[in-house]
Amino acid sequence: MNELKKSAAAFSKAKKFMPGGVNSPVRSYSSVDCNPPFISHARGSHIYDIDGNNFIDYVGSWGPMILGHANEKVVDALKKSVERGTSYGAPTELETELAELVQKIFPSMEVMRMVNSGTEATMSAIRVARGFTGRSKIVKFIGCYHGHSDSLLVNAGSGAATFGVPSSPGVTANTAQDTIAIPFNDVDAVKKIFAECGEKIAAVIVEPVAGNMGLVLPKENFLPTLREVTKKFGALLIFDEVMCGFRVALGGAQEKYKIKPDLTCLGKIIGGGLPCATYGGSAEIMRNVSPDGKIYQAGTLSGNPLAMTAGIETLKILLDTPNFTEKLTQKTSRLVDGLKEQAKISGVAVQIPQAGSMFGIFFSEREITNYDDACAANQEKFKRWFKSMLEQGIYLAPSQFETLFVSIAHTDEDISKTIDAASTAFTA
Ligand SMILES: *Cc1c(COP(=O)(O)O)cnc(C)c1O
């Protein structure tokens, strides 16, 4: 690997203008005590930095790049779209086309609204849940991340967990007080909180497959319990599938676990690498959103034609490629099995959970079922492993509290190289 000289210079300059030199905290690499490579371009499964390094990419822009970078069809469609103007602030047929594709894959989303980020989608879904039920309290799970809006930045995962500020300064006590955070996978805690104040709870929001405290799978009875209890008490169940949608199954966790939530949030993949997200659910609930109803939510760039175009092309490929999800899951399994084998040979205790094309790695002897377990894993070992992988040309998320992603562009050779690198990294 070339020394990160140009990247280091670019980073010092960036730091003058932006907190930590970045526009999203985890990108700063401060959790792994090194400078981040500054990126020049990316293609397929590879990402290239300004120092001339070429990495195999398992970050995939933190999830969206399920087709790999610069997919030809997506790029061609974007080129044509950009020639027609970049934003109108007026309705287009593209928005309906994307909504129709989303509904085909997520039938529970009868009516939906396009927004620009996952944060907006979850924030808006919470407002709809409160407006619809006339209640104020929200239940979330410790270590789940639902973007950075105030009421959801309480005991949050992802960068918030990496930087040890799970509840952020600037979130008022009044706001935080309406958010009840309980451990993931803990059905007793769910039942208990509903028994105490179930009639005040507007919604339970959950990452049905949690990807922001590292990857943590739901235990068998967890999601069914959420469905049952929310229904009983008249609260809404919100599946935040911004990360796991299109990945754990094409139709997300709701398809895989056969549970119909009241509201769903999608993001990341739905924009095909451009800023786009959506929230939606039954017509009964969603018709309360303005201008059909009184719950207000809007956006200057919402439904942006470029974002719609990238989303449409991406979803069409997912739908039209025979066995897309199965193939991608198999690729991921090959990688995960290889990593497990290398860890075993090196005598290193790891947990490498997988869900579809998502996987994670914890240096731990115990299975990871919630945020406390994740925190107990050995982060020093992770850091050493991460650095060795980077030096060997493998680009991973710089924190054990993140999930890694395989794209359809990853080749057998990429995966073999990654497994080889891991054998060195495990003994680093
Ligand atoms: C990434 C993510 C979000 C936030 O999306 P942004 O586009 O970063 O605002 C929300 N929920 C989940 C589960 C996510 O993974």
Side-chain angles (χ1 to χ4, degrees):
M1 177 176 151
N2 297 337
E3 213 187 315
L4 297 176
K5 277 191 190 154
K6 286 185 183 170
S7 291
F11 195 35
S12 348
K13 186 167 183 192
K15 280 182 184 166
K16 286 190 202 156
F17 298 99
M18 290 165 279
V22 290
N23 284 310
S24 199
V26 192
R27 297 179 195 169
S28 71
Y29 273 38
S30 51
S31 54
V32 285
D33 309 324
C34 55
N35 286 341
F38 269 53
I39 304 306
S40 67
H41 65 290
R43 177 167 292 272
S45 56
H46 286 243
I47 190 162
Y48 303 82
D49 72 12
I50 57 175
D51 290 288
N53 292 305
N54 166 4
F55 303 99
I56 302 172
D57 179 17
Y58 293 100
V59 178
S61 187
W62 307 90
M65 311 318 298
I66 194 166
L67 303 178
H69 295 281
N71 174 277
E72 212 179 326
K73 279 189 181 155
V74 177
V75 170
D76 283 349
L78 280 173
K79 280 182 187 162
K80 284 182 195 139
S81 181
V82 81
E83 295 282 345
R84 290 193 291 264
T86 51
S87 181
Y88 322 121
T92 62
E93 291 173 305
L94 295 168
E95 295 155 79
T96 311
E97 193 180 345
L98 182 58
E100 218 169 357
L101 288 167
V102 169
Q103 194 194 76
K104 202 166 169 184
I105 304 173
F106 287 83
S108 74
M109 299 174 76
E110 293 170 10
V111 177
M112 71 195 81
R113 175 59 64 76
M114 299 294 167
V115 292
N116 303 295
S117 69
T119 295
E120 261 188 85
T122 53
M123 178 184 79
S124 308
I126 293 290
R127 185 179 305 139
V128 168
R130 285 175 167 154
F132 181 75
T133 59
R135 302 173 179 181
S136 54
K137 292 201 181 298
I138 297 294
V139 173
K140 79 176 285 289
F141 296 92
I142 300 167
C144 282
Y145 178 67
H146 305 291
H148 60 89
S149 74
D150 282 3
S151 62
L152 293 168
L153 206 52
V154 175
N155 282 293
S158 190
T162 304
F163 295 105
V165 282
S167 305
S168 172
V171 174
T172 65
N174 273 345
T175 301
Q177 167 192 308
D178 278 332
T179 304
I180 302 161
I182 55 178
F184 191 75
N185 270 329
D186 188 341
V187 293
D188 292 336
V190 173
K191 287 177 185 161
K192 186 163 169 268
I193 201 70
F194 270 89
E196 277 168 19
C197 60
E199 70 292 339
K200 290 185 184 151
I201 296 170
V204 172
I205 185 166
V206 66
E207 286 181 74
V209 173
N212 285 293
M213 47 178 145
L215 181 62
V216 179
L217 306 189
K219 285 188 189 165
E220 205 182 325
N221 57 352
F222 181 56
L223 299 174
T225 302
L226 296 186
R227 183 63 287 183
E228 208 178 286
V229 174
T230 46
K231 195 166 248 171
K232 184 172 157 200
F233 284 86
L236 301 190
L237 177 60
I238 305 173
F239 270 14
D240 177 357
E241 301 220 39
V242 168
M243 185 188 288
C244 66
F246 310 100
R247 282 207 184 260
V248 301
L250 184 58
Q254 53 198 272
E255 178 185 307
K256 179 168 170 142
Y257 298 103
K258 299 185 176 63
I259 288 179
K260 189 177 170 188
D262 299 299
L263 290 170
T264 299
C265 302
L266 298 173
K268 300 196 165 105
I269 287 171
I270 194 200
L274 270 82
C276 176
T278 187
Y279 68 98
S282 69
E284 187 202 354
I285 297 170
M286 287 300 291
R287 293 290 176 210
N288 292 286
V289 175
S290 182
D292 280 352
K294 288 186 179 159
I295 301 168
Y296 196 70
Q297 185 270 312
T300 302
L301 291 171
S302 292
N304 174 271
L306 289 177
M308 295 300 103
T309 299
I312 289 166
E313 291 306 314
T314 301
L315 297 199
K316 273 191 192 160
I317 294 172
L318 298 188
L319 277 166
D320 296 346
T321 310
N323 305 317
F324 183 95
T325 307
E326 289 75 9
K327 276 188 218 158
L328 186 53
T329 300
Q330 276 166 19
K331 261 186 215 290
T332 310
S333 298
R334 211 194 124 219
L335 175 61
V336 165
D337 291 347
L339 294 177
K340 283 181 182 167
E341 196 186 325
Q342 292 306 328
K344 201 170 171 190
I345 293 168
S346 310
V348 178
V350 288
Q351 301 296 321
I352 310 183
Q354 179 194 352
S357 54
M358 300 160 66
F359 71 102
I361 183 160
F362 296 102
F363 289 81
S364 167
E365 279 167 23
R366 284 192 304 149
E367 190 196 352
I368 308 294
T369 62
N370 59 32
Y371 183 62
D372 278 351
D373 293 346
C375 290
N378 191 323
Q379 294 190 54
E380 281 308 310
K381 280 189 184 162
F382 175 87
K383 210 188 275 187
R384 278 205 298 278
W385 192 75
F386 167 84
K387 281 186 185 171
S388 169
M389 291 296 270
L390 188 72
E391 277 158 19
Q392 298 179 78
I394 313 295
Y395 189 82
L396 306 171
S399 165
Q400 66 156 11
F401 294 109
E402 302 291 345
T403 288
L404 300 164
F405 305 97
V406 179
S407 81
I408 205 73
H410 283 84
T411 61
D412 282 347
E413 195 197 339
D414 288 332
I415 288 171
S416 299
K417 272 192 186 162
T418 307
I419 295 169
D420 286 348
S423 77
T424 305
F426 280 129
T427 51

